[in-house]
Structure formats: structure tokens, C-alpha cells
Amino acid sequence: MTDQKSASTTVDGAVDSSTSSNFIRNKIADDIKQNKHGGRVHTRFPPEPNGYLHIGHAKSICLNFGVAAENSGLCNLRFDDTNPEKESQEYVDAIKDNISWLGFQWNGDVRYSSNYFEQLYAFAVQLIESGKAYVCDLSAIEAREYRGSLTEPGRNSPYRDRSIEENRGLFERMRTGEFADGSCSLRAKIDMAAPNINMRDPVLYRIRHIEHHQTGTQWCIYPTYDYTHCLSDAIEGITHSLCTLEFEDHRPLYDWILHALEIASIAGASDLEDTDSKYVLPEQTEFAKLKLNYTIVGKRKLKEMVETNVVTGWDDPRMPTLAGMRRRGFTAAALRNFCESVGVARSDSIVDLGMLEHAIRDDLDKNSPRAMCVLNPVTVVLTNLPDEHLQILSMANHPKVDEMGRRSVPLTKRVVIDRSDFEELPVQGFKRLIAGGEVRLRGAYVIKCIDVIKDGAGELIELHCSVDLDTLGKKPEGRKVKGVIHWVSEAKGIPLTVRLYDRLFSVENPESKDIEDIRECLNEDSLIEITSCIAEPSIMEEGASSSYQFEREGYYCLDEKESSENKLVFNRTITLRDSW
RNA sequence: UGGGGUGUCGCCAAGUGGUAAGGCACAAGGUUUUGAUCCUUGCAUGCGUUGGUUCGAAUCCAGCCACCCCAGCCA
């Protein structure tokens, strides 16, 4: 058995975790061994610009770009823009931005299927001339009736036997705009009785008098996905056309179209510079989509959530979109590692959110500088310190990575700690501050709670604690202090707002068919805002990071969209693991 | 009830006839000035099911069962 572990490197230089074998890697290795495409590996990522990219697309991006990179191959970015009705430039721009952010660089210029409209038209004429396509006047509704059903064969269209001459004329008139939308279509002449419904004379071209975001008003007929995709692949010299499982039934059609045309004319139209090795047609291979529990990955529903204001936009930090996850503080490397860890296979599966969370924590733990931030402040007066006490403590930015440097943290007589770190009636095993008990202020001294000050209603006002001045950087003598809590100088701390995010849905499978309205299963606590937090001043210093591990709280990042000069907003990316 | 797929630990997943990798989760220890990280250990006599072939089967064969996809002039 050969060693199939290796590491892949992305454009930002980050080395991702080790890879393992999957059926696509195996197939490509095999193709290379057999010199199938002259040893070339050329893939493509082909989104339709009709929405924002999400975690599911990340899997496809990592696969396509990854597998190309591993084999010194190329990967194109191609917008599959054959249906102008749903598409827009906004999506094109966002998608390009997302892919770059994820850390991948496409080969050459961005491609558009619409770049090939002229060539595609010429190929369609070829099909007509060889008697393999015809113009059909059936309406969409009639065509559905003629198509038959899953269990019954279809019937031939009455227009199926038009002469080549007539078809050529009609198709040309379709292009010049003589016909209304839907009045006719160009169809492949295959087999109306085929058990695979995709082969029952599929539509190749439809009439749409509508402006296209790339080609403007140049065209009023648009090729369908099935007709366009295989030919775009062929033109770009794609060797491995990777797509998801639902296209499996389209593969016979993908192959039919390519074989219906003269291979020489396809080769001639392709990007490939003159061919040392003979031209080989691209081959489609399908893999399972990525699904995650507690999340929705369906463009239609994501769009619906944006439009009904269930979330604030495509980049809402709770969204599984790349834009949302980025704003949430997920890193590109973490997402890449996650995609790798999930693997690529053909079985339908639903990945546990815990896997994603692990990938995020794993990356953030290694790379985030530490800081202290108190979410629910309660004042602690250090009684044996003078009123004007100001001590600058030096703390490591990372407990294990010295290269990340150190920071200065001011200690004053009055500090704040988190309300939950003090308990009058502690449960068994409580390791934090209790009346009369000791605890260490992280990076500073051990303190002892000597007085609990309350108001008339019994509400906690402040804590009075004494400092053991002999415990800075060393253990106290003669006793063990187990607890360590974070703190911030009350006077020197920086006020900020924090947004705590949690999963958007309260059920494991929000995409389940028996949920009619997704609003029924929303997690009420998916966003909690806390406005009275106080963080150590280092986070505002010149050159400060925009993301941190707030010690004992979790990973947080600055929300640039929500922050202003007098209001700082941090998003909680994810909590720390908590086994307590 | 046509066609195409898929079933290996709670969740992913490797494995392609030689006696079940790995990750997540979980559990138990250890280290620790983050109840984090890190380390160590444990976690499928079993691969949807029933038969068959074989010295030997998750891997080959047959039947059965379950689930997913397809009847857009969407992708």
C-alpha cells in the first residue's frame, strides 16, 4: 500500500492538514498513470451567479482547486451564466471575492459560459445539419405532456421530423428575435422513450427576450445548462468535470452532446494550443453535496431568509455563506481544513456541526493573540493597594507561541471580573471566587475575597479583596490556589459591545421536508447582544489584531461593519470548548 | 410500480479477496497562572440484511430491505 498522506499548500502559504485518499483523487491518479489527457489535470469551479457562495460551495472549491494544485494542474473559475433571469453582477463580484478570500487563485481570466455563446450557436447549427437537433413549437406545457412520466415513455413531438433546411431557417429566426418567449425551442433529437428522462429530446435553446449581465441585449436565445456545460468544459480543455450527485442522470446527455459533434471541431474550438497529445473529451464525475446539521445550505432558502429579514443579510454572521462566516470570524484556513476533514464520497451524509467547530477552534487557538475582556462586569476593590496604584504587567500574547510577543496590561486598585466568576453558594467543584476564598487574577496576583458588598435588595454591588503581593509570577506559599479568572482595570478598560452567536436553527435538520416555514424552528437565542463589556486597552493599540481569544470566554473578532469611532462591536466567533 | 445512485462506530470516512485506518464526538487519567490548549488511554469478533462462492469476504455473486436523485424552455 502506498502512502497516500500528503500536505497541500494554498496561495497564502498556509499548509493545511494532511489529506487522505478519496475516489476522485484515486481516479485522477489513475488517469495520470494511464496518460489519459497527456497527464494534464484541469478542473473548473462553475457557479451560477444567482446567489452567494456557502459552505457547500467551499467543499467544491477546495476539491476543484485542491485536486488541480496537488497534480500541478489548473483550475478555472467559470460563471455558468446561461439563465440571465436569475443572475446579476452583484453575485459575480461577491463570488470572485469569496474565492480569493478562501485562498484560491483561478487560472487566467475569469470565464463565463456566455463567452462561448457564438461558438455554442455554431455547434447547434452543426447539430441541426447532422439531423441531431430540431426546432420544436410545442409549448412548455405541451412538451411536459409529450415527455411521458417516470413509468411511461414519452411521445415524439409533431415537429420532430422537420427538414434540416427548415430547422436551420427557424433556428436562425429564433436568434434574430422573430419569435416570442416560449413559442419554440431547439431540442436534441435523442429518444422519447429513454428510461432516463433527460434523454427525451432535451431542450438546448430557449427564447428569452431579456438583458444579460454580460452580453447585454446581444442575444434573445439562451442555451440550457445541459447543452452549455459539457461544451464549455470541452472548450476550456477541462479534463475532470466534478459536480454533485444530482447531475448523475445528466452524464449520458453530457456525453451524448460531445459525441454528437465532430471531435475535430470541438478540439479546434478549444483553448488547447496545438495538440501534441490527441484531444480527449472531458469527463464528468459526481460527488455528494456537503450538508451540515442545524444549518441550511440551499440557495433558495438562504435567499428567503435574507428577503424575509430572518437575518440581516447574506453576510449576517449566522449565515453559512462565506461572507457570513468570514464576518463571524471563521478563517479561510479553518474552512479549508474542515472541507478536507469531511472528505469526498458518494454517499449522502450530514456532517455534524461539531466538526466545523473543531476546525475553527483548532485554527483560532494556534493563531489568535490572547486578551482579556469581561462580559458582565462586577467591581472588585483591591483593598491593600493605594488609590492611585497603576502597575503595568507584561503578558504573553500566546501561551505557546513566543514569537507572537507580549503586551502591557494595566492593574489598578479597582478592577472588574465577570459576575459568573463569583458565587456565594458555590456548587461542588466551583473553582472561582467565593466569599473568603482565594483565586488568581490571570497574569497578576492571587486575591482573597474579604467582603461582599450588597445593596438593600441583596444585589451584589462590589467585592473587596486583598492582594497577596508575593504571588506575581510565582505560586503562593503553603497552599494551592486552583482558580484563575480574567479581569480588566475598571478605569483603563475599554467599553465594548459583544454579539454572541449561536446556531440559527433549533432542529437538527431544518431542511427536512416536513418543516413548511423555517421560522418555526429558529433558535431564539441565535443572537444575544451584551453592551456593557470591558476589555483590556491593548486591543485598541496601534497595530492591534482584529481578532482575539478573549481568555476563558472564546474567540472574538471586530465587526467592522457595526463598529464606529465611539462604539466597538465584537462578534463571538465561537466559544472555547467547555467540559465544566 | 421506469431509470440512476447509496448503505462500514453517535457523525464524517479509508478500505477494491488476506483477517476493520484516521478525524469529530464521548469517557477516563496526566500537564497547565485560560475548567482552554497539549499528552496518554479507551471506544466496530463487526462492515444494511439473507444466502452463496472461497482455505479465507466489508471487498466477488444472487435475492431482499432502507434511503436519496430524476418528469424546468432552472442550475
Side-chain angles (χ1 to χ4, degrees):
Chain A
M1 185 98 293
T2 55
D3 183 9
Q4 287 170 323
K5 302 260 177 195
S6 65
S8 61
T9 305
T10 52
V11 288
D12 61 10
V15 176
D16 292 345
S17 58
S18 65
T19 60
S20 75
S21 83
N22 63 51
F23 78 101
I24 289 178
R25 283 197 173 112
N26 294 162
K27 180 188 169 12
I28 289 175
D30 211 55
D31 290 345
I32 290 172
K33 198 185 288 176
Q34 292 175 29
N35 205 245
K36 195 160 185 175
H37 299 268
R40 286 190 315 119
V41 174
H42 200 334
T43 57
R44 100 272 92 112
F45 174 63
E48 185 190 13
N50 67 346
Y52 278 68
L53 260 25
H54 53 66
I55 185 82
H57 294 106
K59 174 179 176 179
S60 177
I61 293 168
C62 290
L63 209 216
N64 277 293
F65 283 92
V67 102
E70 287 164 22
N71 295 289
S72 316
L74 301 168
C75 180
N76 291 1
L77 167 60
R78 178 169 79 232
F79 287 99
D80 212 350
D81 55 349
T82 57
N83 184 13
E85 240 168 310
K86 297 182 178 174
E87 302 161 4
S88 78
Q89 188 63 40
E90 178 200 348
Y91 297 130
V92 169
D93 296 336
I95 289 169
K96 288 195 284 192
D97 183 56
N98 287 164
I99 295 169
S100 299
W101 174 76
L102 235 202
F104 297 102
Q105 181 58 253
W106 50 86
N107 166 49
D109 295 332
V110 172
R111 322 295 169 104
Y112 296 85
S113 296
S114 56
N115 289 344
Y116 315 129
F117 280 175
E118 196 61 57
Q119 179 61 247
L120 259 18
Y121 181 84
F123 280 139
V125 171
Q126 259 190 57
L127 252 21
I128 289 171
E129 283 171 346
S130 58
K132 290 171 181 156
Y134 63 98
V135 173
C136 178
D137 295 357
L138 251 26
S139 70
I141 294 163
E142 291 166 327
R144 179 159 68 226
E145 282 159 15
Y146 274 83
R147 191 155 34 236
S149 72
L150 292 178
T151 50
E152 299 155 330
R155 287 138 51 213
N156 284 171
S157 160
Y159 306 98
R160 200 172 199 257
D161 296 316
R162 292 219 255 226
S163 71
I164 288 173
E165 210 44 55
E166 190 184 0
N167 282 138
R168 189 163 35 200
L170 255 12
F171 187 48
E172 200 179 312
R173 290 168 63 197
M174 278 173 66
R175 176 180 183 166
T176 53
E178 275 189 52
F179 306 124
D181 287 7
S183 59
C184 58
S185 62
L186 183 74
R187 294 228 253 164
K189 192 186 287 188
I190 309 181
D191 178 7
M192 289 306 292
N196 180 346
I197 294 179
N198 294 304
M199 301 299 272
R200 319 240 261 229
D201 289 10
V203 169
L204 269 22
Y205 271 88
R206 71 290 220 185
I207 302 173
R208 288 281 180 281
H209 291 270
I210 182 178
E211 199 169 319
H212 186 288
H213 51 100
Q214 301 302 318
T215 60
T217 54
Q218 213 182 324
W219 295 86
C220 65
I221 55 171
Y222 292 98
T224 55
Y225 163 84
D226 283 309
Y227 179 65
T228 308
H229 205 94
C230 52
L231 287 170
S232 301
D233 284 344
I235 289 168
E236 292 177 14
I238 300 304
T239 57
H240 301 267
S241 184
L242 311 177
C243 64
T244 44
L245 246 26
E246 70 269 25
F247 292 104
E248 203 162 14
D249 289 342
H250 295 242
R251 192 169 68 223
L253 181 52
Y254 183 105
D255 293 333
W256 184 91
I257 291 167
L258 293 178
H259 288 279
L261 264 1
E262 288 291 329
I263 181 117
S265 71
I266 295 179
S270 82
D271 285 355
L272 266 30
E273 316 261 301
D274 94 300
T275 48
D276 299 346
S277 52
K278 69 175 197 316
Y279 182 82
V280 179
L281 262 8
E283 202 181 327
Q284 173 178 308
T285 303
E286 312 85 13
F287 62 92
K289 266 190 171 136
L290 172 64
K291 289 186 180 176
L292 266 180
N293 58 8
Y294 297 102
T295 106
I296 278 181
V297 255
K299 260 188 207 172
R300 221 201 76 237
K301 284 194 174 167
L302 290 179
K303 201 167 188 166
E304 190 185 317
M305 296 198 306
V306 172
E307 281 163 1
T308 58
N309 298 313
V310 165
V311 293
T312 57
W314 287 101
D315 67 345
D316 186 298
R318 292 164 295 180
M319 288 284 270
T321 52
L322 292 181
M325 293 188 293
R326 176 184 184 175
R327 192 168 154 207
R328 171 84 170 260
F330 290 11
T331 61
L335 257 16
R336 276 184 248 124
N337 287 160
F338 167 69
C339 290
E340 180 57 42
S341 76
V342 158
V344 180
R346 286 174 63 85
S347 60
D348 296 302
S349 55
I350 299 175
V351 174
D352 195 297
L353 239 203
M355 279 224 221
L356 211 211
E357 295 175 341
H358 169 79
I360 304 299
R361 289 195 182 101
D362 191 50
D363 183 60
L364 257 18
D365 174 61
K366 290 187 181 85
N367 301 307
S368 300
R370 314 285 130 126
M372 292 190 289
C373 176
V374 174
L375 266 38
N376 296 300
V378 56
T379 300
V380 171
V381 180
L382 302 173
T383 52
N384 56 333
L385 253 33
D387 287 355
E388 295 73 31
H389 186 84
L390 175 60
Q391 184 177 3
I392 305 300
L393 299 165
S394 170
M395 297 187 199
N397 284 329
H398 189 108
K400 290 186 178 166
V401 185
D402 291 343
E403 297 75 65
M404 288 179 77
R406 304 183 71 79
R407 67 191 196 277
S408 297
V409 182
L411 174 68
T412 51
K413 184 181 176 75
R414 294 172 67 87
V415 298
V416 290
I417 65 169
D418 197 86
R419 181 64 189 80
S420 66
D421 281 336
F422 173 77
E423 203 65 73
E424 278 196 280
L425 302 165
V427 296
Q428 187 56 246
F430 188 75
K431 276 171 47 175
R432 288 107 94 150
L433 192 60
I434 60 174
E438 282 189 305
V439 78
R440 177 179 289 278
L441 293 183
R442 165 116 250 228
Y445 301 94
V446 170
I447 60 170
K448 180 174 189 175
C449 180
I450 52 177
D451 219 347
V452 179
I453 315 296
K454 295 181 189 171
D455 63 12
E459 284 302 303
L460 182 62
I461 303 280
E462 60 184 33
L463 265 14
H464 286 6
C465 298
S466 61
V467 178
D468 181 342
L469 292 165
D470 196 30
T471 54
L472 184 61
K474 57 178 171 182
K475 292 185 164 46
E477 275 168 38
R479 66 219 133 102
K480 268 193 181 133
V481 174
K482 267 243 163 172
V484 179
I485 63 174
H486 57 104
W487 57 277
V488 172
S489 159
E490 190 178 67
K492 300 288 181 182
I494 293 173
L496 56 84
T497 289
V498 134
R499 290 185 176 172
L500 308 180
Y501 295 103
D502 198 358
R503 53 184 62 147
L504 243 185
F505 299 98
S506 53
V507 298
E508 270 218 53
N509 183 10
E511 290 188 287
S512 154
K513 282 179 184 115
D514 30 73
I515 294 172
E516 293 139 34
D517 190 346
I518 48 171
R519 277 168 292 195
E520 287 168 26
C521 54
L522 287 173
N523 171 12
E524 301 287 317
D525 299 324
S526 66
L527 168 58
I528 294 172
E529 187 170 86
I530 305 181
T531 55
S532 54
C533 313
I534 303 179
E536 60 171 80
S538 71
I539 67 161
M540 281 304 282
E541 279 164 13
E542 186 77 10
S545 168
S546 62
S547 73
Y548 292 91
Q549 182 200 97
F550 287 154
E551 285 187 300
R552 303 209 313 129
E553 290 291 355
Y555 299 94
Y556 290 75
C557 71
L558 182 69
D559 190 321
E560 290 174 27
K561 208 166 166 176
E562 293 294 324
S563 297
S564 59
E565 228 171 281
N566 39 25
K567 187 189 180 195
L568 274 182
V569 178
F570 271 73
N571 292 325
R572 182 176 70 192
T573 306
I574 193 166
T575 60
L576 254 27
R577 211 165 147 264
D578 187 9
S579 51
W580 163 238

